[in-house]
Amino acid sequence: MFNNEQMADVHFIVGPPGETQRVPAHKYVLAVGSSVFGAMFYGDLAEGQSEIHIPDVEPAAFLILLKYMYSDEIELEADTVLATLYAAKKYIVPALAKACVTFLETSLEAKNACVLLSQSRLFEEPELTQRCWEVIDAQTELALRSEGFCEIDLPTLEIILQRETLNMREVVVFQAVLSWAAAVCRRQGLVVTPRNQRAVLGKALYLVRIPSMTLQEFADGAAQSDVLTLKETRDVFLWFTATNKPRLEFPLIKRAGLVPQRCHRFQSSAYRSNQWRYRGRCDSIQFAVDRRMFMAGLGLYGSSSGKAEYSVKIELKRQGTALAQNFTKFLSDGSSNTFPVWFEHPVQVEQDTFYTVSAVLDGNELSYFGQEGMTEVQCGKVTFQFQCSSDSTNGTGVQGGQIPELVFYC
């Protein structure tokens, strides 16, 4: 019966002018599945139209809506899920709307988080909005450098710029805002000039916390952008350098960002002569969590025989596929403290799936090591489970060894 002319008693002309599709349907089936269609066909103000125009719904989304109402089957695709959510909301089909939101949550990542934030606010989906904020906060630089960020509307830009927990330097926020303004100029048919960028930004520019940049960052970036007026540029320079600071329109206080959490998997650490060595071999451990979080880096043990610098490669894998890695250095002070080593960007880690994290160090061989390792650790709202990794060739396992800390945001 779905999308079938047989016994059809109503037709819909769906889509904007020039892109319409004629869809046959059956009033009773639609009325049973949607109170909106019920009122349209059988309510007190029902009209006897045999052809109904729906210019604000995409044909593909409307067909997904009808197929669900006829068969309870839901077939969602990334290209049409937002349009389908709109149709489900418009015709009050909550089960389909919920399926759309679930689909969006599972496909949410930094490159589409800002667009989905805009849509979740439009559709009044608070759970999806919260998930978008989790991604934007933890992976701010990836989110604001994405093409999707340049597609959002002005109100969404403003609410993002008001966010206290954006986890990036303000100079990068400013660069992203200029990219957004340039994209808006192009969409409006304007030449991309500092004056036009300033015009499309309006008061949103004053949500960028320019005084929280370093003097060098401001001088190399915002001061030379020509988006600020000469007076604003002069006043910011004076704010940085003068005893009597001028009043600025820009917020003065640096964003709080996110505070990293640390999961420590050992109950004690130790050092014994010739007991443990970094020898360029791989220390590795597997872990799983009971809720989504963002892996930011590792806490590692350093030298047990005084200050030492290490070169280190850290890596995060899922089912053998590398999700992130970083080559860097850190300096240990000879204590049994852990020393943080960061991935370039935090990595989203899904619940109930084992990941493998590894570290290969080159430097002073003798080091501290962990003892009395735990298979399960509760850290804030997140429960970690640990198991040994076949990638570990230097002796690290659940009970002892290296990689004492996982550093994350949640």
Side-chain angles (χ1 to χ4, degrees), residues 154 157-158 161 177 180-181 184 194-208 227-228 232 250:
L154 181 60
L157 173 69
E158 290 174 340
L161 294 180
V177 166
W180 179 90
V184 173
R195 182 175 181 178
N196 286 339
Q197 286 176 290
R198 172 80 183 230
V200 299
L201 279 168
K203 293 183 179 179
L205 180 63
Y206 293 114
L207 298 174
V208 181
V227 169
L228 306 185
E232 287 169 341
F250 303 97

Side-chain angles (χ1 to χ4, degrees), residues 9 13 23 25 33 53 58 190-192 214 261 267 283 321 338 342 372 376 395:
D9 55 359
I13 309 300
V23 179
H53 290 260
E58 293 181 11
L190 301 173
V191 178
V192 179
T214 66
Q261 300 181 56
Q267 298 183 65
D283 288 294
T321 301
T338 59
W342 306 94
E372 302 177 275
E376 183 172 300

Side-chain angles (χ1 to χ4, degrees), residues 139 142 287 294-298 312-327 341-349 355-360 407:
Q139 299 179 307
L142 292 176
F287 72 93
F294 296 86
M295 186 75 171
L298 306 177
V312 56
K313 173 190 174 183
I314 59 173
E315 186 174 52
L316 178 67
K317 296 192 297 184
R318 177 179 178 178
Q319 297 176 344
T321 301
L323 303 178
Q325 60 180 218
N326 195 23
F327 297 85
V341 179
W342 306 94
F343 291 110
E344 185 176 359
H345 301 288
V347 184
Q348 184 167 291
V349 169
Y355 292 77
T356 302
V357 65
S358 304
V360 178
V407 186

Side-chain angles (χ1 to χ4, degrees), residues 56-121:
D56 61 330
V57 176
E58 293 181 11
F62 192 74
L63 288 171
I64 292 170
L65 172 71
L66 262 58
K67 185 170 185 177
Y68 170 72
M69 298 175 74
Y70 276 84
S71 65
D72 279 347
E73 294 181 17
I74 300 176
E75 296 181 0
L76 299 176
E77 297 180 359
D79 292 342
T80 56
V81 64
L82 284 171
T84 304
L85 177 58
Y86 173 77
K89 288 278 191 175
K90 178 175 181 176
Y91 293 104
I92 313 179
V93 184
L96 180 58
K98 184 176 181 180
C100 291
V101 171
T102 300
F103 183 95
L104 290 169
E105 287 181 346
T106 57
S107 61
L108 177 62
E109 52 187 329
K111 67 182 181 182
N112 62 13
C114 295
V115 171
L116 292 183
L117 175 68
S118 176
Q119 297 298 320
S120 68
R121 294 175 61 244

Side-chain angles (χ1 to χ4, degrees), residues 243-261:
T243 302
N244 296 321
K245 300 183 183 300
R247 179 181 177 276
L248 300 180
E249 296 291 333
F250 303 97
L252 305 180
I253 300 175
K254 185 178 180 180
R255 299 180 199 273
L258 293 179
V259 178
Q261 300 181 56

Side-chain angles (χ1 to χ4, degrees), residues 92-349:
I92 313 179
V93 184
L96 180 58
K98 184 176 181 180
C100 291
V101 171
T102 300
F103 183 95
L104 290 169
E105 287 181 346
T106 57
S107 61
L108 177 62
E109 52 187 329
K111 67 182 181 182
N112 62 13
C114 295
V115 171
L116 292 183
L117 175 68
S118 176
Q119 297 298 320
S120 68
R121 294 175 61 244
L122 175 66
F123 294 132
E124 298 181 342
E125 289 289 344
E127 291 185 8
L128 179 57
T129 299
Q130 179 57 35
R131 279 286 296 117
C132 291
W133 279 129
E134 290 174 4
V135 173
I136 293 169
D137 283 345
Q139 299 179 307
T140 307
E141 186 165 350
L142 292 176
L144 268 60
R145 288 186 184 275
S146 69
E147 292 182 6
F149 176 74
C150 294
E151 297 172 5
I152 61 176
D153 56 17
L154 181 60
T156 303
L157 173 69
E158 290 174 340
I159 199 170
I160 289 175
L161 294 180
Q162 291 167 2
R163 188 78 172 172
E164 184 67 26
T165 44
L166 295 182
N167 203 32
M168 67 189 295
R169 294 177 300 135
E170 202 67 20
V171 64
V172 185
V173 175
F174 182 79
Q175 292 166 356
V177 166
L178 292 188
S179 297
W180 179 90
V184 173
C185 287
R186 287 189 285 268
R187 286 197 293 271
Q188 294 182 0
L190 301 173
V191 178
V192 179
T193 64
R195 182 175 181 178
N196 286 339
Q197 286 176 290
R198 172 80 183 230
V200 299
L201 279 168
K203 293 183 179 179
L205 180 63
Y206 293 114
L207 298 174
V208 181
R209 306 187 182 191
I210 288 177
S212 69
M213 299 178 189
T214 66
L215 176 57
Q216 191 67 52
E217 288 172 338
F218 174 71
D220 291 342
Q224 298 184 43
S225 69
D226 291 332
V227 169
L228 306 185
T229 66
L230 288 175
K231 182 179 185 305
E232 287 169 341
T233 302
R234 183 202 65 183
D235 284 351
V236 174
F237 270 122
L238 290 175
W239 190 89
F240 276 116
T241 58
T243 302
N244 296 321
K245 300 183 183 300
R247 179 181 177 276
L248 300 180
E249 296 291 333
F250 303 97
L252 305 180
I253 300 175
K254 185 178 180 180
R255 299 180 199 273
L258 293 179
V259 178
Q261 300 181 56
R262 288 172 166 79
C263 174
H264 200 92
R265 66 187 192 92
F266 296 126
Q267 298 183 65
S268 64
S269 61
Y271 158 69
R272 299 182 195 130
S273 179
N274 297 319
Q275 178 70 26
W276 200 282
R277 294 175 179 269
Y278 283 136
R279 291 169 286 194
R281 296 179 182 175
C282 181
D283 288 294
S284 183
I285 195 72
Q286 290 192 328
F287 72 93
V289 291
D290 65 345
R291 61 177 292 167
R292 185 183 291 110
M293 60 85 159
F294 296 86
M295 186 75 171
L298 306 177
L300 300 175
Y301 289 128
S303 170
S304 57
S305 54
K307 292 183 179 180
E309 184 179 63
Y310 288 92
S311 298
V312 56
K313 173 190 174 183
I314 59 173
E315 186 174 52
L316 178 67
K317 296 192 297 184
R318 177 179 178 178
Q319 297 176 344
T321 301
L323 303 178
Q325 60 180 218
N326 195 23
F327 297 85
T328 186
K329 295 182 179 182
F330 73 92
L331 185 66
S332 69
D333 59 9
S335 72
S336 60
N337 295 331
T338 59
F339 301 91
V341 179
W342 306 94
F343 291 110
E344 185 176 359
H345 301 288
V347 184
Q348 184 167 291
V349 169

